[in-house]
Amino acid sequence: MLNEIDLSRADLNLLVLFEAVFDEAHVGRAADRLRLSPSAVSHGLGRLRRLLNDPVFLKTPRGVVPSDRARALAPLVADILQRVRGVVAHAAPFDPASSTRRMTIGAPDGVSAVFLQPLLADLAERAPGIAIGIRQLLPAPEEAVDRAWRGAFADLESGTLDIAVIPAAEAPLRFERRTLYEEDFVLVMRPGHPFASAPGVDQYCASQHLVVSLSGDPHGFVDDVLAREGLSRRVALTVPNFMFACAIVPDTGLLCAVPRRFAARYAPRFGLAIHDAPLPLGHFRLNAFVPKPALMDAGTLWLLDRLGEVGARIGTTAA
């Protein structure tokens, strides 16, 4: 958009002005948004036209419309300003009480649904302006459990995620790990399911099952547990997340393995019965991961500490 010669006479405020006029399609409304006079906005548009050698915005009886070149430049300008705002936000001293940053946490929904409510309660008290985005994470089919979460680590390194909370025990050395709490799996089913009256391995294997799988792959970690015992089951349905599973199970004869603390919080809301599995389905730790360079960002470190506090409280509460 700007060559090296142009940069010597460019003003970043002109991009802010461009964004406001493009969004508002009106000089007066853009002036109000920027807290400038309409004449100041008009003067800025004149400078922008000379800089770009283009009309940029054309007057109409109802306001202004962007030129073809302005339409093409709009997403580029939005990206530039987003990056600049990110740099400024990270450079400014972090004050949770006044910060309006938005940070993204990735986790399986069976995990985020457990830590999110207490985390939001903490933020409401300590950092009411901070916004949180939750990204759904589920493992990729891999024989090595930790490799199943390689996508989460890639998202952390790309900056798509600020923190990932996943049941991975290990990570490359370039990541910091914080253990939040420990978890295992229980079964949820409709009340009166035949398994409840004969909760043994035979009845379990004879039942039909629902598996939570983002990819739709019906083979889950439970199948690996059964295979080690020379057993198998029939997977009748896959769905992409645990909450969807809880919405489906009450009207079916399906069994579904879900995290214990998730089941304790949400199974009653869906009218589901909870039972222990007839054989251990695995015990794991929920760990929060961030790239080590991100620990230099006071906001990310602050949020990681809050997750650690929330996880400690969850870990001491009976599921």
Side-chain angles (χ1 to χ4, degrees), residues 103-106 133 135 151-152 154-163:
M103 290 182 271
T104 303
I105 303 171
R135 279 264 315 277
D155 286 345
L156 286 170
E157 288 196 297
S158 71
T160 307
L161 293 178
D162 293 296
I163 300 174

Side-chain angles (χ1 to χ4, degrees), residues 150-228:
R150 65 189 187 282
F153 294 119
D155 286 345
L156 286 170
E157 288 196 297
S158 71
T160 307
L161 293 178
D162 293 296
I163 300 174
V165 181
I166 51 180
E170 301 295 337
L173 293 176
R174 59 188 180 275
F175 292 93
E176 174 79 5
R177 181 186 67 187
R178 298 276 185 92
T179 296
L180 301 189
Y181 60 93
E182 297 188 357
E183 185 64 287
D184 63 350
F185 277 80
V186 296
L187 304 177
V188 294
M189 63 202 72
R190 61 171 172 77
H193 192 287
F195 176 83
S197 59
V201 173
D202 290 343
Q203 180 65 32
Y204 178 76
C205 292
S207 300
Q208 297 191 30
H209 296 259
L210 184 157
V211 168
V212 174
S213 168
L214 190 62
S215 67
D217 182 356
H219 186 93
F221 71 93
V222 171
D223 299 286
D224 295 330
V225 173
L226 293 174
R228 288 194 290 268

Side-chain angles (χ1 to χ4, degrees), residues 5-311:
I5 298 174
D6 289 330
L7 283 176
S8 66
R9 59 189 177 91
D11 181 351
L12 181 61
N13 288 320
L14 293 180
L15 300 187
V16 177
L17 184 145
F18 176 97
E19 178 187 59
V21 177
F22 187 90
D23 290 346
E24 301 294 340
H26 194 279
V27 170
R29 289 195 295 268
D32 290 341
R33 172 169 156 177
L34 297 172
R35 298 182 181 179
L36 297 172
S37 67
S39 62
V41 172
S42 296
H43 177 71
L45 287 177
R47 293 175 58 200
L48 193 59
R49 291 184 184 104
R50 291 190 295 274
L51 179 65
L52 299 177
N53 193 28
D54 185 83
V56 189
F57 295 100
L58 308 172
K59 292 182 180 180
T60 74
R62 306 183 108 182
V64 295
V65 295
S67 67
D68 290 342
R69 189 176 184 199
R71 291 182 191 277
L73 290 175
L76 301 177
V77 170
D79 181 64
I80 291 169
L81 291 178
Q82 181 181 14
R83 292 172 184 271
V84 171
R85 287 164 180 149
V87 169
V88 172
H90 283 74
F94 178 74
D95 175 16
S98 60
S99 175
T100 57
R101 281 182 59 177
R102 179 179 184 84
M103 290 182 271
T104 303
I105 303 171
D109 75 308
V111 175
S112 60
V114 172
F115 72 67
L116 186 57
Q117 186 174 0
L119 176 63
L120 291 178
D122 273 12
L123 294 183
E125 180 179 347
R126 303 186 191 189
I130 288 180
I132 298 295
I134 297 293
R135 279 264 315 277
Q136 163 82 344
L137 299 179
L138 281 175
E142 290 279 355
E143 290 186 9
V145 174
D146 289 336
R147 276 189 55 78
W149 299 101
R150 65 189 187 282
F153 294 119
D155 286 345
L156 286 170
E157 288 196 297
S158 71
T160 307
L161 293 178
D162 293 296
I163 300 174
V165 181
I166 51 180
E170 301 295 337
L173 293 176
R174 59 188 180 275
F175 292 93
E176 174 79 5
R177 181 186 67 187
R178 298 276 185 92
T179 296
L180 301 189
Y181 60 93
E182 297 188 357
E183 185 64 287
D184 63 350
F185 277 80
V186 296
L187 304 177
V188 294
M189 63 202 72
R190 61 171 172 77
H193 192 287
F195 176 83
S197 59
V201 173
D202 290 343
Q203 180 65 32
Y204 178 76
C205 292
S207 300
Q208 297 191 30
H209 296 259
L210 184 157
V211 168
V212 174
S213 168
L214 190 62
S215 67
D217 182 356
H219 186 93
F221 71 93
V222 171
D223 299 286
D224 295 330
V225 173
L226 293 174
R228 288 194 290 268
E229 303 295 327
L231 302 170
S232 63
R233 62 176 179 167
R234 178 174 182 268
V235 175
L237 178 66
T238 67
V239 299
N241 58 64
F242 288 104
M243 202 68 76
F244 190 9
C246 285
I248 293 293
V249 167
D251 298 319
T252 72
L254 301 175
L255 301 181
C256 183
V258 304
R260 183 181 295 273
R261 297 178 192 281
F262 174 82
R265 179 180 291 271
Y266 293 100
R269 303 186 187 187
F270 288 96
L272 291 170
I274 304 173
H275 288 275
D276 285 326
L279 70 171
L281 298 182
H283 185 273
F284 55 93
R285 291 180 176 178
L286 270 306
N287 292 312
F289 293 93
V290 298
K292 287 183 178 178
L295 296 176
M296 299 178 66
D297 172 21
T300 300
L301 181 59
W302 184 87
L303 183 60
L304 182 64
D305 288 342
R306 299 293 76 72
L307 277 170
E309 292 178 2
V310 167

